[in-house]
Amino acid sequence: MSTRTAVCALVGFLILPLALPLRAGAQQITTGVIQGSVSDSTGANLPGVSVEARNLDTNQGRTQVTASDGRFVFLQMPPGSYRVSFTLAGFATTVQENVLLTVGQSINLPVAMKVSGVSETVTVTTGTPSIDTERTAAATTINQATIDTIPILGRKFEDLLTLTPGVSVVQGPDGDEISFAGQRGVFNNISLDGGDYNNGFFGEQAGGQRASVDITLDAIKEFQVIASGAPAEYGRTAGGVVNVITKSGTNSARGSAFYFQRLEGLTGDLSDGSKLEDFHREQYGGTIGGPIKKDKAFYFLALEGINGNFQRPNLSTQFGDVPCPVPNPTIAANEALINSNPDCQRTALLGFLQSRVGINDGLPIRHPQSTFALLGKADAAMNPNNHLSGSWNFNHSRKENETFDVATYGNSANGIEGDPAHINALNLNWFTTVMTRMVNEAHFTYSRETRPRTAAGSGLTADTGMGFGPTFRFGDPFFLQPGVDELIWRTQIKDNVSIVSGYHTFKLGGEWMHTLNDQVFRGFFTGRYIFSSVPGFLRYASPAAAGGYGPNTVGCSNGAFVTYPAACPAGSTTDGGPLLLYLQGAGRTGLATDAAGASTITNNELSLFAQDSWQIRPDVTLNYGLRWDAQTMPETVDPTTTAFASVLNDPTFPSDGTIPSQWNMWQPRVGVAWDVRGTGKSLVRASWGVYYARQNMLSQVGSVTTNGLQQQTIFANTANLLALGAPTPTWPNVVTPTPLPDGQFPFFSGVRVFDRDYKNPHIFAFNVAYEQELAPNWVGYADFIWNEAHDLTRFLNFNKSDPVCCDQGPGTGNVYVYNGHPWQPQLDEVMVTNSLGESRYRGLTLGVRKRLSGGIQLEGNYVLAKDEDNDSNERDPFTDRSFNFFDLSKDWGPADRDIRHKFNFFGYFVIPHGLWANTRVQYRSAQPITASPRVVNGNDSGRNSLRKDNEYFTFDWRLGRPFRFGTHFELTPIIEMFNTFNNANNINPLSTPALFNFDGYLRTGVGDPRQMQLAVKLTF
């Protein structure tokens, strides 16, 4: 089908409801639905019944009259508690009390009115149904009771997402990733009060993992998590959907104040015997809300602050079990000792850096942080048919030495995350009742996020790493040389209309979103050096001399070193070291300036959707729809002016120099819910659909700037010195390129391009589930998800030929080496963003939940899953992770995110003496890792054949006792404990050797120890 034909078909579907004479159940992003049918005592439908739904907190009500079939439906109702009343002459008035509506929920109220000749009111207390019989997606709503009471280390709402089945926290290259049903974290779509709350550059939620808190927890009323099967109104995601709804003011003035405290004295030892030194963390804040004008307009404010610090010893303490016997070892006098003793490597490096560049990199590292979050919201009923709502979320964050938390990194290898960083997000919603069965929602978002990052500023500007075990690192991180200036802002406009027609609820809408990223990325401006060993670095960085000293040092297979052009001793060969890699970003005519790293790129995203929730029978609901998304990519320079212009006509060159815009992202979706016995106690639901992900700007910007014209990549190593006589740089200096005339480029230029056939990732998602009420308020469930992903983004260096298995360099043996490079000497690395990735996820969830009753609420679930792919790279555009470029099938194996077993339990319990308790148990099995070496004696163990030592288990609990003062005040002392049994919970996000890590954030080692937190909360 052509795009034009498909657009016409979609527009026709959009218009269809308007032609029908005027049941519901359509998904609502920020609201819910109250619907039902009214009959008399004989079961006959009652038309003409006046139905009023009134919010108990704001006293705002909506009224309508039942149709000829006795049906009524209230669309776009704000979450909250309602009273629904039914009035008809000759019948007793019926009132349904305490109808509790949550976000995205459709509540069905079957009402039977009795004949009465006198004025009479029948009041019914309505319990929330244990099973939502019309929901077709795998979705969970985290209610306010859970948010307010469950123990959360750090009070970050994202940590609550793992309460839902199918959602995992995965140790990834940029901190903990939130993975839905095995999909990449950058595929998720987070919304705040209906507006996009994602960082378009990094592809994660605003603030990412670096902000301690991005939305103050006490501002959140509830949120809905859709792990699979989202209907057509949800787009730009091939992962999960999270709808966060903030609190609103009510007719009663209410507020709160809280203070949480963690201290070193309340914290256990780490599993390796060390402590979190100088550790403290304070979180404090409060809320206030109430009426601006009773029954008409309301306000709500919430704020939260965080101050804290902890200290790691890093290189200030002994490494290994054996201390270095020499106080100040040197390469000239103690090379054998340095080779064999990790602590001697530490002391030799510290002494060398002190004498050579005058820095002390052996001090303990402090990690102070300061964060402030604020949310303001206003709601107003302009008239019975128009409701306005607006919210503004603000965050200020600064975290020192947060870039890396690795024990073998020096003080200089770190940065300030947010100097400071700011988030501003403004959301406006306008809800309009056009007619009784037609409502419209207009939405506007303006968001702005600044993420300045700066290096620690030690005086050593070259990013320098050495050794495979342990791996040491010093100097400004390659992406902070000396820092990054980044601003991203986003404008979103969308409009949805919902129409009830008979037993159909049609919903259709469109959206436009504009994203601009303006940054100066000073990446590799002062170079990155990677050395095979500590002795190799110490020799290379020493003054040039015969016998293996200076930039012409060559490592030999017998452990000796020589100075090029001298040959290795008889019987030995060169080993590829000591300089394995040198990368430098530079201008075409000289050293890099801000102009070389500057970029202003834009994306425009367009969307149309149409869907129908059709109640085929009273016990069967069918949801079907079609969505179209488009993403326009940034413009690039004229490809004929770039360093790769000479190979554009080469049929084997994969790119035409542009970034293909995506106009054909068509996504049909269908779901069904079957109330098996028609009693609301047994439900089968299933869904299938196509889901496209957006492409993050981090993957795009390299193809805009790294083209040889604006910026070139200088590459050097010992291997090129031996093979081509190409000079190697003098540490810690940079290479000053020779200015060239216009139209000429240096040899061995590195470039980044998009494949001409690039497509955005998409998945085919299938889900089937069964829910059964086991007893009043108790439900058991089984849920199975199968996701097949195609066109996943990979980053591959295409400038390769003549593969040879396998790299015999120090400590690797994991990948093929390539003796040919077809576009040399003009081009060296040609990193191509392509769509050659694939994945498959299968997951079975078994669980049970109990709705809050009798002072108990709980849920427990177990997930058995298998996640496979051929590349788990989320967004690292600097690393080619292929094993053999010419046989990518060898990359298929367990995904880096593969967590085979996951168990989750949480509960709320009212216990004697006025106490209440909350517990939370989380377990997940270890993630996979590739053996090193992967190939031994010709036997390939495959990708990710082993498991890391990062199994995770934690038992957390909270105990509170409220004390009332008068009629308006309540004070609750709280005690919490996290990781009660002090499990190690080791952190290892690496998928490549640490020496070759190009991540912008890295934490390794032991996890958080047992921590006790004391708190107090006042409500009024």
Side-chain angles (χ1 to χ4, degrees):
M1 177 171 16
S2 69
T3 300
R4 181 176 180 180
T5 301
V7 169
C8 290
L10 181 56
V11 170
F13 189 23
L14 293 173
I15 295 173
L16 174 62
L18 304 178
L20 295 173
L22 282 188
R23 179 170 167 162
Q27 198 80 25
Q28 308 289 308
I29 292 179
T30 62
T31 57
V33 174
I34 298 176
Q35 62 181 353
S37 57
V38 185
S39 62
D40 61 18
S41 56
T42 67
N45 295 331
L46 281 180
V49 178
S50 177
V51 185
E52 180 191 64
R54 184 164 297 276
N55 188 295
L56 299 181
D57 289 323
T58 63
N59 200 36
Q60 293 180 351
R62 286 166 57 182
T63 303
Q64 57 180 253
V65 176
T66 57
S68 59
D69 56 4
R71 291 204 52 78
F72 67 94
V73 54
F74 293 99
L75 301 172
Q76 293 182 348
M77 301 292 283
S81 184
Y82 286 84
R83 177 191 298 114
V84 185
S85 59
F86 304 84
T87 305
L88 181 65
F91 289 83
T93 297
T94 300
V95 178
Q96 295 264 10
E97 295 280 8
N98 299 320
V99 178
L100 185 60
L101 180 67
T102 61
V103 61
Q105 184 184 23
S106 293
I107 291 181
N108 190 43
L109 300 177
V111 177
M113 300 182 69
K114 73 171 187 175
V115 176
S116 176
V118 297
S119 178
E120 182 182 2
T121 299
V122 178
T123 301
V124 180
T125 299
T126 302
T128 303
S130 298
I131 298 175
D132 186 345
T133 59
E134 298 188 5
R135 174 173 57 86
T136 62
T140 302
T141 297
I142 306 298
N143 61 23
Q144 188 171 336
T146 301
I147 295 171
D148 288 345
T149 61
I150 198 165
I152 308 171
L153 185 64
R155 290 174 48 82
K156 191 170 184 178
F157 93 89
E158 287 88 348
D159 292 337
L160 287 170
L161 297 179
T162 56
L163 297 178
T164 62
V167 182
S168 297
V169 170
V170 180
Q171 293 176 9
D174 198 35
D176 289 342
E177 301 169 13
I178 302 169
S179 175
F180 289 74
Q183 301 312 301
R184 298 179 177 185
V186 294
F187 289 173
N188 300 330
N189 195 345
I190 314 293
S191 71
L192 174 64
D193 288 334
D196 187 275
Y197 195 68
N198 302 282
N199 181 293
F201 186 79
F202 291 99
E204 60 192 2
Q205 72 270 25
Q209 303 300 328
R210 296 179 177 89
S212 298
V213 168
D214 49 272
I215 306 170
T216 175
L217 191 66
D218 278 34
I220 298 175
K221 181 178 179 65
E222 59 191 33
F223 59 89
Q224 183 188 46
V225 181
I226 305 177
S228 183
E233 66 180 298
Y234 296 99
R236 303 181 309 280
T237 174
V241 175
V242 181
N243 298 320
V244 180
I245 306 301
T246 58
K247 296 176 182 176
S248 296
T250 68
N251 273 331
S252 301
R254 298 173 182 171
S256 67
F258 61 85
Y259 183 85
F260 288 78
Q261 179 73 67
R262 281 183 273 159
L263 294 168
E264 182 179 344
L266 299 175
T267 302
D269 292 347
L270 294 161
S271 60
D272 62 1
S274 63
K275 292 180 177 293
L276 278 180
E277 300 175 357
D278 191 24
F279 171 61
H280 65 92
R281 182 181 174 107
E282 299 81 37
Q283 288 187 249
Y284 49 88
T287 66
I288 185 72
I292 300 172
K293 183 177 181 181
K294 192 172 182 180
D295 296 345
K296 296 294 184 181
F298 311 90
Y299 73 93
F300 179 81
L301 294 171
L303 61 87
E304 183 165 357
I306 301 175
N307 294 312
N309 179 63
F310 67 92
Q311 181 173 287
R312 304 273 198 200
N314 278 43
L315 299 182
S316 67
T317 59
Q318 174 186 318
F319 271 18
D321 298 328
V322 180
C324 186
V326 177
N328 296 297
T330 65
I331 191 63
N334 311 101
E335 183 166 8
L337 195 57
I338 293 172
N339 255 323
S340 61
N341 186 308
D343 196 48
C344 288
Q345 294 180 14
R346 176 186 69 89
T347 53
L349 287 167
L350 294 177
F352 179 85
L353 292 170
Q354 181 72 61
S355 62
R356 179 66 190 277
V357 293
I359 65 170
N360 183 357
D361 246 8
L363 299 174
I365 298 180
R366 298 181 71 251
H367 297 260
Q369 63 168 299
S370 175
T371 299
F372 177 79
L374 172 68
L375 183 131
K377 188 175 183 180
D379 299 88
M382 309 305 293
N383 55 50
N385 293 326
N386 288 275
H387 180 91
L388 295 178
S389 178
S391 66
W392 170 59
N393 188 65
F394 171 77
N395 180 275
H396 168 104
S397 178
R398 188 177 193 271
K399 303 173 78 174
E400 295 183 30
N401 295 320
E402 187 70 14
T403 303
F404 296 133
D405 189 3
V406 183
T408 56
Y409 285 17
N411 307 73
S412 58
N414 227 310
I416 300 172
E417 296 296 330
D419 201 15
H422 289 145
I423 302 171
N424 284 276
L426 173 68
N427 290 293
L428 300 175
N429 289 287
W430 178 14
F431 302 98
T432 303
T433 302
V434 181
M435 57 182 66
T436 302
R437 297 199 173 191
M438 178 185 292
V439 293
N440 189 82
E441 177 185 359
H443 179 89
F444 172 79
T445 293
Y446 175 82
S447 62
R448 177 185 174 96
E449 183 175 356
T450 57
R451 279 199 190 184
R453 309 171 69 191
T454 56
S458 66
L460 176 59
T461 58
D463 188 342
T464 308
M466 69 287 295
F468 285 91
T471 294
F472 296 91
R473 192 166 176 178
F474 306 93
D476 293 353
F478 69 89
F479 47 88
L480 300 179
Q481 296 183 339
V484 176
D485 303 328
E486 183 184 359
L487 163 67
I488 184 165
W489 65 267
R490 174 168 278 171
T491 302
Q492 178 187 27
I493 298 174
K494 63 180 179 179
D495 190 83
N496 303 324
V497 61
S498 298
I499 303 169
V500 178
S501 177
Y503 288 90
H504 297 266
T505 298
F506 296 97
K507 189 169 186 178
L508 45 114
E511 180 178 351
W512 169 72
M513 185 154 54
H514 174 79
T515 307
L516 180 144
N517 188 81
D518 188 357
Q519 73 165 5
V520 179
F521 176 64
R522 302 173 184 90
F524 304 100
F525 275 23
T526 53
R528 182 173 190 189
Y529 289 83
I530 296 179
F531 295 94
S532 57
S533 65
V534 172
F537 162 72
L538 293 173
R539 284 176 167 273
Y540 184 103
S542 298
Y549 292 95
N552 287 344
T553 299
V554 176
C556 301
S557 59
N558 64 352
F561 291 90
V562 297
T563 301
Y564 176 83
C568 285
S572 66
T573 60
T574 59
D575 67 2
L579 182 62
L580 300 179
L581 179 67
Y582 173 77
L583 289 175
Q584 177 188 332
R588 191 180 63 82
T589 59
L591 295 176
T593 64
D594 281 1
S599 64
T600 301
I601 62 175
T602 61
N603 281 181
N604 285 288
E605 297 176 74
L606 304 171
S607 302
L608 292 172
F609 78 89
Q611 68 185 41
D612 174 24
S613 182
W614 176 21
Q615 190 171 26
I616 300 175
R617 301 186 328 204
D619 56 356
V620 178
T621 300
L622 177 68
N623 189 301
Y624 61 97
L626 178 65
R627 182 179 184 91
W628 170 75
D629 286 330
Q631 182 179 11
T632 66
M633 302 297 192
E635 296 290 332
T636 59
V637 299
D638 182 353
T640 62
T641 64
T642 65
F644 54 85
S646 61
V647 296
L648 284 172
N649 293 325
D650 183 339
T652 64
F653 192 73
S655 177
D656 60 9
T658 67
I659 306 178
S661 292
Q662 304 297 298
W663 291 99
N664 292 302
M665 295 188 287
W666 294 95
Q667 300 155 84
R669 300 174 191 177
V670 62
V672 63
W674 174 32
D675 183 356
V676 179
R677 296 181 176 87
T679 60
K681 298 182 178 182
S682 302
L683 180 75
V684 174
R685 58 175 169 77
S687 65
W688 175 91
V690 180
Y691 298 83
Y692 272 88
R694 54 160 59 114
Q695 180 58 270
N696 61 80
M697 289 174 150
L698 175 58
S699 301
Q700 303 167 22
V701 69
S703 297
V704 175
T705 60
T706 309
N707 47 38
L709 188 67
Q710 177 174 338
Q711 183 181 132
Q712 63 166 307
T713 300
I714 297 173
F715 171 85
N717 62 9
T718 302
N720 276 3
L721 170 69
L722 293 171
L724 304 169
T728 49
T730 300
W731 183 90
N733 300 332
V734 294
V735 176
T736 301
T738 302
L740 296 173
D742 290 344
Q744 293 187 24
F745 300 91
F747 286 152
F748 304 105
S749 292
V751 298
R752 302 184 182 279
V753 295
F754 263 66
D755 193 299
R756 61 169 56 88
D757 296 322
Y758 169 83
K759 295 180 178 64
N760 273 6
H762 68 278
I763 69 168
F764 296 94
F766 171 73
N767 169 235
V768 62
Y770 178 72
E771 297 182 44
Q772 176 65 52
E773 185 174 274
L774 306 175
N777 301 313
W778 287 84
V779 173
Y781 57 88
D783 190 298
F784 178 72
I785 295 175
W786 185 310
N787 288 339
E788 293 275 351
H790 301 276
D791 296 332
L792 297 180
T793 302
R794 298 194 69 176
F795 304 96
L796 299 173
N797 179 10
F798 274 53
N799 197 9
K800 300 174 179 178
S801 63
D802 303 327
V804 177
C805 185
C806 284
D807 181 6
Q808 299 302 315
T812 58
N814 280 322
V815 297
Y816 275 67
V817 293
Y818 304 90
N819 292 328
H821 306 277
W823 299 305
Q824 281 188 354
Q826 182 62 57
L827 301 176
D828 191 76
E829 181 184 76
V830 178
M831 190 64 78
V832 180
T833 305
N834 59 79
S835 304
L836 296 176
E838 296 180 322
S839 74
R840 176 183 299 125
Y841 172 88
R842 289 155 289 176
L844 172 66
T845 300
L846 303 174
V848 62
R849 65 175 179 266
K850 181 186 183 300
R851 188 177 57 191
L852 181 61
S853 64
I856 298 176
Q857 173 181 290
L858 59 82
E859 180 161 359
N861 52 70
Y862 164 75
V863 179
L864 174 65
K866 187 174 185 179
D867 190 0
E868 300 171 291
D869 66 13
N870 60 1
D871 195 336
S872 300
N873 189 349
E874 290 260 332
R875 58 186 180 209
D876 173 7
F878 305 110
T879 306
D880 179 341
R881 297 189 182 181
S882 63
F883 174 66
N884 178 2
F885 175 77
F886 294 96
D887 186 2
L888 297 181
S889 66
K890 297 295 185 182
D891 295 330
W892 184 264
D896 294 353
R897 298 175 298 276
D898 183 42
I899 297 176
R900 294 294 171 90
H901 306 279
K902 179 191 171 193
F903 174 77
N904 186 50
F905 172 86
F906 62 97
Y908 169 81
F909 309 91
V910 177
I911 56 180
H913 308 295
L915 295 166
W916 50 256
N918 293 80
T919 59
R920 183 180 184 183
V921 179
Q922 295 180 84
Y923 168 79
R924 54 181 180 266
S925 57
Q927 295 171 229
I929 193 170
T930 302
S932 182
R934 171 174 165 169
V935 178
V936 177
N937 298 324
N939 295 318
D940 180 7
S941 60
R943 173 173 169 260
N944 280 344
S945 60
L946 304 178
R947 292 282 157 172
K948 300 176 181 179
D949 181 22
N950 68 344
E951 184 180 52
Y952 181 88
F953 176 84
T954 183
F955 172 66
D956 307 333
W957 55 268
R958 170 189 273 198
L959 190 66
R961 169 63 161 90
F963 295 90
R964 295 197 65 85
F965 297 90
T967 58
H968 299 293
F969 295 91
E970 184 175 275
L971 184 68
T972 306
I974 299 169
I975 182 172
E976 297 176 303
M977 183 171 286
F978 304 94
N979 192 13
T980 300
F981 303 114
N982 210 23
N983 294 82
N985 295 336
N986 294 326
I987 298 172
N988 180 11
L990 297 171
S991 57
T992 59
L995 183 61
F996 290 97
N997 182 266
F998 282 83
D999 298 328
Y1001 169 90
L1002 184 64
R1003 178 186 175 188
T1004 63
V1006 297
D1008 294 323
R1010 177 175 54 246
Q1011 299 178 59
M1012 180 176 287
Q1013 182 164 255
L1014 304 178
V1016 62
K1017 186 169 186 177
L1018 174 70
T1019 58
F1020 55 88

